[in-house]
Amino acid sequence: MRILDTYKAHKLAIGFSIAASLSLSPAYAQDLPDPATISVPDLSSAKDPKIAKQGWKYFVFHKAGVSFEEAYADFAECYTFLPTFSGGGELPKFIPWGQSEDPDTQELASNGGNFGVVGVAIGALIEGPLRRRAYQSRMRRCMEPRGYDRYGLDKDIWEQISGSYSLESIAIKAKIASGPKLADTPLETSR
């Protein structure tokens, strides 16, 4: 796949994300799901001190006094900043000043590039944690300044809640964020 094709695919994914967020604006509030119809998994693990220690890895947000509608809008907006992992390449990391990228000469290697089979195997091992980390760090940078606190969760519960970039995932997180407090003490923002 050429870099230019990957770049266009990435721009298209961002465009769809922005279109989705615009459709979630207050003008479309009548399309919000009914919070009573949204099922949330058991979140009692947030009170377990052992789980709280792993909260920097797997967590959910909560904000006292926030409405479901406001939380839904906040999550929908923050989802537009999440990385998209579609396609088999990355955007070019460097193009010299004054030069444009030449799609005919800058092919992306889809067979491991310079690192061969070993590079592909190592990449497969670290891809999941890298995706999770990119997702979590961007959600933190978007939600914490809005006044949301983080609470640690069990990995399996977190994967159920965060398994997709869907409107259903946004609705579940909004219901959790606007629901009852999950534990006595939220996680520290320093970690």
Side-chain angles (χ1 to χ4, degrees):
M1 176 181 267
R2 290 192 242 156
I3 290 175
L4 188 58
D5 293 338
T6 303
Y7 179 71
K8 287 178 183 177
H10 186 72
K11 283 179 67 172
L12 185 61
I14 290 172
F16 284 133
S17 296
I18 291 170
S21 71
L22 292 175
S23 69
L24 299 172
S25 67
Y28 294 94
Q30 67 273 11
D31 294 338
L32 288 175
D34 180 11
T37 63
I38 300 167
S39 64
V40 175
D42 179 24
L43 302 174
S44 61
S45 66
K47 295 179 182 177
D48 183 358
K50 206 186 293 185
I51 299 296
K53 283 184 181 180
Q54 292 295 315
W56 62 274
K57 240 178 170 180
Y58 307 107
F59 54 82
V60 290
F61 293 97
H62 180 269
K63 183 177 179 181
V66 72
S67 68
F68 173 78
E69 292 79 15
E70 183 182 348
Y72 191 88
D74 287 343
F75 277 103
E77 183 176 351
C78 289
Y79 263 51
T80 62
F81 301 112
L82 292 179
T84 57
F85 295 102
S86 58
E90 296 179 349
L91 295 176
K93 300 212 182 325
F94 176 77
I95 299 174
W97 182 261
Q99 293 182 9
S100 62
E101 54 181 303
D102 183 3
D104 293 328
T105 61
Q106 295 187 8
E107 295 277 332
L108 281 180
S110 60
N111 62 355
N114 297 334
F115 306 108
V117 176
V118 174
V120 171
I122 291 172
L125 289 174
I126 64 172
E127 182 181 16
L130 288 177
R131 285 182 185 219
R132 178 192 47 80
R133 189 71 178 151
Y135 172 90
Q136 294 293 55
S137 66
R138 289 188 186 185
M139 287 302 290
R140 281 188 67 184
R141 287 185 292 183
C142 188
M143 297 299 284
E144 286 178 353
R146 297 168 191 250
Y148 288 84
D149 293 321
R150 289 180 306 122
Y151 293 90
L153 275 186
D154 181 62
K155 178 183 178 182
D156 295 334
I157 303 295
W158 180 83
E159 286 176 348
Q160 284 179 356
I161 294 169
S162 303
S164 66
Y165 293 85
S166 66
L167 295 177
E168 179 184 3
S169 179
I170 292 172
I172 291 170
K173 290 179 182 177
K175 184 169 181 177
I176 293 169
S178 62
K181 194 173 176 181
L182 300 173
D184 294 333
T185 309
L187 297 169
E188 296 177 20
T189 57
S190 64
R191 183 148 191 207

